[in-house]
Amino acid sequence: MPRLARLRSIAARTRTSDPAPVFARRLVQLLVGLALYGLGIALIVRGELGVAPWDVLTQGIAKQTGLGFGLITVLTSGVVLLLWIPLRQRLGFGTVMNALLVGPFADLSLWLIPTGLDLWARILMLFGGIVVLAIATGLYIGAHFGPGPRDGLMTGLHRRTGWRIWIVRTGIELAVLGTGFLLGGNVGIGTLAFALLIGPLCGWAIPLFAVRRPTDGAAQRSVGRRDVLHPATEPTPAV
């Protein structure tokens, strides 16, 4: 069965020759990053000053369909993965976990964070959420289990075009923002702040949290490829 074969391929790429402490750190970093990503989304939403572009799109789709926020986040991830095909992006364990977990983590965080806070608290939540999202992006991309659906689109376009990460990320956010606005999503000053700040912040966070991994020099020399041991790993992009 093609689907089963695909899952086995992902599992095979997840196995590495990393020492146990390095692999454990990567796994924990991945899960923490995904949890923080959901938290960052919720902080911005509860800031009520305008949500992030992808969440403008989510809110717009929710307004048109009546589906829940977390469910739409998961479904959108699946659609974005289809855009990987022409970019020849490789699916990794982290990609699958991102697609499945960010939506539920966002729903949980939205449930925990109250609404109707004072303006000063909502401003702090907005900018705190932007920083948390950038750190979360650096954490799960830096864990080298493969980027999430949206960030794989970012790194794939970066690799194909040669454009710098912050330029690619900002362009994607602005395109998504326009689509979400047309569908009726909530746009505000916080949306503009996110669209302008997330690219530079990701450019700082991605190399900062990249896990240094041991390599097998002999194996690399035998095939002339630096990703022989970890084919699902995306190299840390230039920023």
Side-chain angles (χ1 to χ4, degrees):
M1 293 182 293
R3 182 174 298 179
L4 180 59
R6 183 66 171 171
L7 292 175
R8 286 174 176 171
S9 175
I10 294 170
R13 293 203 301 264
T14 303
R15 294 193 293 270
T16 74
S17 60
D18 289 340
V22 175
F23 183 80
R25 178 197 162 175
R26 290 174 57 214
L27 187 59
V28 170
Q29 183 168 313
L30 170 68
L31 296 176
V32 170
L34 297 180
L36 287 178
Y37 206 98
L39 173 62
I41 290 173
L43 286 171
I44 296 171
V45 170
R46 289 293 185 248
E48 300 175 7
L49 295 170
V51 298
W54 281 103
D55 300 322
V56 174
L57 179 62
T58 300
Q59 288 182 335
I61 296 172
K63 186 174 181 179
Q64 299 297 324
T65 65
L67 298 176
F69 191 96
L71 175 59
I72 293 173
T73 300
V74 174
L75 295 176
T76 302
S77 296
V79 173
V80 171
L81 287 177
L82 296 178
L83 300 177
W84 284 33
I85 296 173
L87 297 174
R88 297 182 181 179
Q89 279 286 86
R90 289 169 293 181
L91 198 67
F93 174 72
T95 309
V96 177
M97 292 298 99
N98 183 294
L100 295 177
L101 295 180
V102 167
F105 277 135
D107 275 345
L108 175 61
S109 299
L110 287 168
W111 178 71
L112 292 172
I113 301 173
T115 60
L117 299 176
D118 292 338
L119 178 60
W120 67 268
R122 291 189 284 119
I123 292 173
L124 289 178
M125 291 173 70
L126 167 65
F127 287 100
I130 294 172
V131 173
V132 168
L133 274 177
I135 291 173
T137 300
L139 284 171
Y140 71 73
I141 288 181
H144 300 302
F145 282 112
R150 295 157 186 80
D151 294 296
L153 181 63
M154 174 184 69
T155 55
L157 285 170
H158 161 75
R159 189 180 66 251
R160 287 288 175 180
T161 65
W163 297 341
R164 297 175 75 83
I165 278 289
W166 72 269
I167 294 175
V168 174
R169 181 61 184 253
T170 301
I172 291 172
E173 299 294 335
L174 291 174
V176 168
L177 169 61
T179 304
F181 175 74
L182 293 175
L183 291 173
N186 179 23
V187 177
I189 188 65
T191 309
L192 178 61
F194 184 95
L196 295 176
L197 293 176
I198 193 63
L201 286 172
C202 283
W204 159 76
I206 289 172
L208 179 65
F209 292 105
V211 176
R212 295 183 180 274
R213 305 172 65 191
T215 58
D216 185 342
Q220 288 179 349
R221 287 192 299 271
S222 68
V223 295
R225 292 179 60 191
R226 68 177 180 176
D227 62 343
V228 62
L229 294 180
H230 315 294
T233 298
E234 289 293 331
T236 301
V239 297

